[in-house]
Amino acid sequence: MSDVIDRPLLDQESTAKTRFRIVDCDIHPSLHARSDLNPFLAKRWQEHMKTYGDHLRTPYFGTTPYPRSSPLIARRDAWPPTGGPPGSDLDFMRKQYLDPLDVEFGLLQVLDMFIFSQQNLEFGAAIQRAVNEWQLAHWTSREPRLKAAILVGQDDIAAAVAEIERCAKVGQYVQINVSPRANEPLGRRRYWPIYALAEELGLPLGIHVGGYGGHPPAGGGWPSYYAEEHQSNAHTMAATLTSLVLEGVPEQFPDLKIVFIEGGFGWISSTMWRMDQHFDRFRAEVPHLKRRPSEYVREHFWFTTQPIDEPDEARHLRSLIEWVGVDRLLFSSDYPHWDFDDPRFAFKTPLTDAERTKIFQTNARAVYKL
């Protein structure tokens, strides 16, 4: 996590800018209120949302099971002066982040409404369509620097495929988003129709941490503390990468690009090493894999940088970047959340100009065809 949590995003006395324009692969817009979705919902679902709300596989109603350490997971200085939650005011986002830090493109990652985890599948389908339309109406049509993703609840395959096809005809989305905490591991064949369509459309598959599939977020059961739950995000992403690779998704869909978002990258090397070691011993069990797992990772997967694992010694971070590969990393800030990574201070280890350009700009341009 960045060490600038209490530092203002913009020093009002400074006009310093980044050395080149940034592509930020993780910006979180928020609803000002749930009623913002009403123009995109049938009357039935407006009444349902007002009367019944969410139906999730968690013991709480309409919230996360582990309260965040700051209201709405946000920085204290990210609340708009006009009211509403952090990330809900476009003008304030421009003033606080997009303009002063010279963000050329920002990819929207919507977390509102737990789209990926709604257990009422009809309501979930209505909500995913409403949120996808809301992104265009409230954000990308007003701010061309911002780019939307097609959000789908991966556990209703038919509704997900229909929504992807609908949004693809609109043509204003740059990726398809699913959740790593699904009802089953994402490598399972039940999810393959989503991957096949993503490959056909040439849209990357984005997998942002989060979701509630009804299973404990940690392998040992339900955590006691938010710190444990937050740590388990990396474990979830490692398990998801393993499932996708060993189940044969990149082998089956050789042109599919997969982006892991907000999972950090400190765990990737050891996960690849372990998969390769086990593949060498158990390859007879997975004959559908034609190459070592690490080869698939290095060709089909990208990873956003936030939250950056920051060891005490900069040389260790340098080694980590080299193991993962500079070409695999995409800068992300996680604005406006509490562990936001300011692009001016995001890396403690020195980067060459060429490396910085790749991570902060050109890698994302290539993946998303910006």
Side-chain angles (χ1 to χ4, degrees):
M1 124 183 156
S2 174
D3 60 358
V4 295
I5 186 170
D6 291 319
R7 181 183 297 160
L9 291 179
L10 173 62
D11 181 350
Q12 299 299 323
E13 302 298 323
S14 172
T15 59
K17 295 215 174 190
T18 51
R19 290 162 57 184
F20 49 82
R21 308 190 75 186
I22 290 169
V23 179
D24 185 345
C25 295
D26 189 17
I27 294 178
H28 293 291
S30 294
L31 297 165
H32 187 275
R34 288 192 168 192
S35 58
D36 290 353
L37 295 181
N38 285 347
F40 314 107
L41 285 172
K43 189 68 175 178
R44 171 196 174 185
W45 296 119
Q46 293 179 38
E47 293 299 321
H48 181 99
M49 183 164 59
K50 183 169 62 175
T51 305
Y52 301 104
D54 299 306
H55 181 195
L56 309 175
R57 289 189 178 182
T58 49
Y60 293 85
F61 187 75
T63 184
T64 58
Y66 294 90
R68 302 321 196 204
S69 56
S70 175
L72 293 180
I73 332 176
R75 291 178 58 104
R76 290 189 291 271
D77 64 352
W79 294 77
T82 53
S88 64
D89 187 317
L90 176 57
D91 288 336
F92 186 66
M93 182 185 291
R94 289 184 181 122
K95 180 179 179 180
Q96 187 180 50
Y97 180 53
L98 299 179
D99 293 341
L101 294 184
D102 208 14
V103 177
E104 183 175 16
F105 294 109
L107 277 63
L108 299 179
Q109 310 288 346
V110 182
L111 302 182
D112 298 61
M113 295 300 301
F114 302 101
I115 293 170
F116 308 113
S117 304
Q118 293 291 342
Q119 297 305 305
N120 181 326
L121 298 184
E122 284 189 274
F123 178 60
I127 288 295
Q128 70 182 7
R129 176 168 182 156
V131 168
N132 288 333
E133 293 184 349
W134 168 80
Q135 288 184 81
L136 302 187
H138 282 251
W139 296 93
T140 63
S141 66
R142 298 169 56 201
E143 176 50 75
R145 287 176 289 184
L146 298 177
K147 303 298 178 183
I150 304 172
L151 274 68
V152 295
Q154 68 286 320
D155 289 301
D156 185 345
I157 304 299
V161 167
E163 178 64 5
I164 293 169
E165 291 175 338
R166 185 191 70 81
C167 291
K169 293 177 182 177
V170 176
Q172 298 182 43
Y173 301 86
V174 299
Q175 73 179 355
I176 298 166
N177 275 23
V178 297
S179 170
R181 290 177 178 170
N183 287 355
E184 296 182 31
L186 285 187
R188 294 286 177 83
R189 295 197 177 204
R190 63 173 295 188
Y191 301 118
W192 283 20
I194 296 174
Y195 310 152
L197 189 53
E199 182 185 51
E200 177 185 337
L201 295 170
L203 291 174
L205 181 75
I207 304 177
H208 190 287
V209 296
Y212 298 96
H215 311 292
W222 291 97
S224 301
Y225 306 106
Y226 168 60
E228 289 182 81
E229 197 274 343
H230 194 66
Q231 174 77 3
S232 73
N233 281 326
H235 308 160
T236 299
M237 298 303 256
T240 300
L241 179 68
T242 302
S243 175
L244 289 168
V245 172
L246 296 186
E247 295 269 7
V249 171
E251 177 64 39
Q252 179 69 24
F253 306 105
D255 295 324
L256 178 64
K257 298 177 180 179
I258 304 174
V259 182
F260 278 33
I261 305 163
E262 203 179 320
F265 58 90
W267 51 270
I268 298 168
S269 297
S270 61
T271 301
M272 287 194 295
W273 298 336
R274 192 172 183 86
M275 282 196 293
D276 280 354
Q277 182 184 58
H278 289 167
F279 175 72
D280 290 340
R281 294 174 177 175
F282 305 124
R283 67 173 60 202
E285 187 188 22
V286 286
H288 51 277
L289 299 185
K290 308 306 180 186
R291 293 181 291 163
R292 302 184 86 197
S294 62
E295 295 181 45
Y296 293 111
V297 175
R298 294 187 183 280
E299 291 185 14
H300 296 272
F301 293 84
W302 286 259
F303 306 89
T304 66
T305 56
Q306 196 279 338
I308 297 175
D309 300 287
E310 296 176 330
D312 292 336
E313 294 190 35
R315 63 187 178 89
H316 294 155
L317 180 58
R318 156 61 58 183
S319 297
L320 192 59
I321 293 171
E322 291 173 353
W323 273 111
V324 175
V326 171
D327 292 340
R328 299 291 104 187
L329 297 177
L330 314 174
F331 173 73
S332 60
S333 71
D334 195 33
Y335 176 87
H337 290 171
W338 67 266
D339 51 353
F340 162 88
D341 278 343
D342 189 313
R344 296 169 298 178
F345 313 106
F347 286 88
K348 288 183 177 179
T349 189
L351 297 172
T352 67
D353 288 345
E355 290 170 337
R356 184 170 293 274
T357 299
K358 286 183 177 182
I359 294 173
F360 283 83
Q361 187 188 79
T362 57
N363 289 346
R365 281 182 168 277
V367 171
Y368 293 108
K369 302 177 183 178
L370 298 175

